[in-house]
Amino acid sequence: MGCQLELLVCLLAVFVRTTHSQSEGCSEVDLVFSLDGTTSVDWNLMRRFVDSVNLGLDVDSGRARVGVSVFTDAVANPILINTVRDSQNLRDLVLNLPKPRESSITNIQGAIESARTTQFNTLGDRPSVPNVLVLLTDGAASTTQNELVNAARLAWQDDIRIIPIGIGSNVRNEEITGIA
């Protein structure tokens, strides 16, 4: 699993750096990680993944803004995209994110909607900067496939690029694919 995690970190870094417009030689990005907090997903693995990606971003200069949301049956936004401007502070916050209360309900639709309406709204959005949502989940949504795809479609219409990453041994690939 360690090699797979490192590969995902590298691929995500390449995606963020190569698909977005360049400004003064460095790409800018507004990036939100949405973490599945249900009992079926490895919480520590997700926090380490987010930390690894953040290490490669230029948070201190403001070129990269990072937010984190956590979802089970409800969605929480412990790190809003417009609040943390220091990479060490971001790292401390991510590595110390408390695991949410136990739940087997996976509200992926709510996670996508929350990113669109809370994280990437007028308070946190920079209009000229790409918005990327990295959704870490096992894909076992508690809503219908149609509801999930519609939430993803609305995000895409708002120029939010979604990168779903399946975590765990019971990943539902059809739902991951539907989100992408």
Side-chain angles (χ1 to χ4, degrees):
M1 185 60 129
C3 290
Q4 291 172 336
L5 180 62
E6 290 173 18
L7 177 62
L8 283 173
V9 170
C10 290
L11 289 174
L12 184 57
V14 167
F15 174 82
V16 169
R17 289 186 179 141
T18 61
T19 61
H20 304 303
S21 62
Q22 297 290 317
S23 172
E24 298 177 21
C26 297
S27 40
E28 294 182 302
V29 66
D30 287 346
L31 182 64
V32 172
F33 293 94
S34 195
L35 311 180
D36 184 335
T38 60
T39 53
S40 60
V41 181
D42 185 335
W43 183 249
N44 290 323
L45 176 67
M46 287 189 298
R47 289 188 309 182
R48 287 191 314 270
F49 174 81
V50 172
D51 181 52
S52 296
V53 173
N54 287 338
L55 289 174
L57 299 173
D58 191 1
V59 174
D60 293 329
S61 74
R63 294 214 174 273
R65 285 190 182 175
V66 178
V68 177
S69 66
V70 177
F71 63 97
T72 55
D73 55 334
V75 181
N77 290 286
I79 304 173
L80 292 172
I81 198 164
N82 62 345
T83 58
V84 180
R85 302 265 194 311
D86 173 82
S87 58
Q88 186 58 51
N89 185 25
L90 178 62
R91 185 165 204 224
D92 292 342
L93 289 169
V94 166
L95 291 175
N96 291 301
L97 274 175
K99 182 162 177 51
R101 65 176 171 73
E102 289 199 18
S103 176
S104 59
I105 299 173
T106 309
N107 188 3
I108 300 172
Q109 175 188 355
I112 295 170
E113 289 172 353
S114 177
R116 187 173 66 81
T117 61
T118 302
Q119 295 277 13
F120 295 123
N121 68 10
T122 55
L123 296 175
D125 186 42
R126 297 181 290 174
S128 61
V129 176
N131 294 326
V132 179
L133 171 62
V134 178
L135 184 71
L136 290 99
T137 181
D138 62 2
S142 300
T143 56
T144 67
Q145 181 72 12
N146 256 359
E147 292 170 317
L148 187 57
V149 169
N150 285 336
R153 186 175 298 120
L154 287 172
W156 279 89
Q157 288 171 354
D158 285 350
D159 291 323
I160 299 167
R161 298 300 160 244
I162 303 173
I163 303 172
I165 298 175
I167 300 288
S169 58
N170 297 315
V171 174
R172 291 196 183 162
N173 288 322
E174 68 280 356
E175 291 192 14
I176 298 293
T177 304
I179 297 166

